[in-house]
Amino acid sequence: DAKTTQPNSMESNEEEPVHLPCNHSTISGTDYIHWYRQLPSQGPEYVIHGLTSNVNNRMASLAIAEDRKSSTLILHRATLRDAAVYYCILRTNDMRFGAGTRLTVKP
Amino acid sequence: SAVISQKPSRDICQRGTSLTIQCQVDSQVTMMFWYRQQPGQSLTLIATANQGSEATYESGFVIDKFPISRPNLTFSTLTVSNMSPEDSSIYLCSVESGTFSYNEQFFGPGTRLTVL
């Protein structure tokens, strides 16, 4: 399975943008890039996904490199509620989680 | 979207006993997944359960230890058998909104298991 690499942790100030990077140099042409986040004491929740083009939804934006070997999840204005572990996942048939990035948001 | 409930939400069990975790979905789904999340760790896929067929287990997980039932399109159970303290984890079920790799998954709240 193709692997992803994310920083262990990141910090952000409230109401500032956050850019969460993910490297996936062994991505295959059919892998979709998914992002999930896990708030404390909850199951993971879907954030966004994409294949080749940048994507926007109400929660975040996903910027995908032209060679697809990396991507960045963008939270436009971090809130305290965005403090979570963010997982970047390459999807084939099933979904396998890496270690993720623990995002801390400071007031 | 799908709303998933799990029972029990938490339990404390004795070594050598078994616990069955239930996962109920508010809509019919083809694929259901069971994950384990050990303390402070990420999620690890245990098995995939499709209705009408045997569950498919990931490397390191066996049916005798984690038997799974999938009697219909809205329900599944995972049993943790002959438990030891190393089985203390959060167990989560999830469902997929469709059958393609771009479909999102929805997760239940998890069952927190402590084995003494």
Side-chain angles (χ1 to χ4, degrees), chain A residues 30-32 34 36 38 41-46 49 87 91-100 102, chain B residues 31 33 35 37 41-45 48 58 92 96 100-110 112:
Chain A
T30 56
D31 284 336
Y32 280 79
H34 284 242
Y36 282 72
Q38 187 172 23
S41 301
Q42 295 187 26
E45 64 176 353
Y46 168 82
H49 77 270
Y87 297 100
R91 284 215 60 185
T92 49
N93 293 318
D94 48 36
M95 195 158 69
R96 297 165 191 273
F97 287 75
R102 181 173 299 278
Chain B
M31 299 180 75
F33 306 88
Y35 289 84
Q37 187 169 28
Q41 302 296 313
S42 182
L43 285 76
T44 300
L45 181 64
T48 302
E58 297 300 306
L92 301 104
E96 199 162 72
F100 301 104
S101 60
Y102 50 78
N103 292 130
E104 62 184 281
Q105 282 192 3
F106 300 93
F107 285 80
R112 183 180 295 272

